[in-house]
Amino acid sequence: MAEYTRRARSKIQEGDLKRAHREVNTGLGIQPKNKELLALRNEIDRQASTPKQFIRNVLGKIRATIDGNR
């Protein structure tokens, strides 16, 4: 588990969330209740959702502007 944790942390620092997620999931496939890996998965999910949320907010503002101008 330590190796999966190390690799996932390394990928998170590199900004490669897809590979980090893969490392975490592989480790959790072996030890599903590993607290470190579960915490890393939450961190990856949080980081991945930030850009998506930003895009949703921007698109929502654009949509509201367009709808308001009609």
Side-chain angles (χ1 to χ4, degrees), residues 2-49:
E3 184 62 19
Y4 292 115
T5 301
R6 184 196 65 76
R7 286 191 277 190
R9 282 192 178 125
S10 174
K11 294 302 174 190
I12 290 170
Q13 289 177 346
E14 293 172 13
D16 190 348
L17 299 180
K18 185 176 181 177
R19 292 189 75 192
H21 195 263
R22 189 177 322 144
E23 294 293 343
V24 167
N25 282 342
T26 301
L28 288 172
I30 298 166
Q31 196 175 59
K33 295 184 181 183
N34 184 284
K35 290 182 182 186
E36 283 184 278
L37 290 172
L38 290 169
L40 285 173
R41 184 175 64 185
N42 288 336
E43 174 66 18
I44 293 165
D45 290 345
R46 186 187 62 76
Q47 286 188 29
S49 69

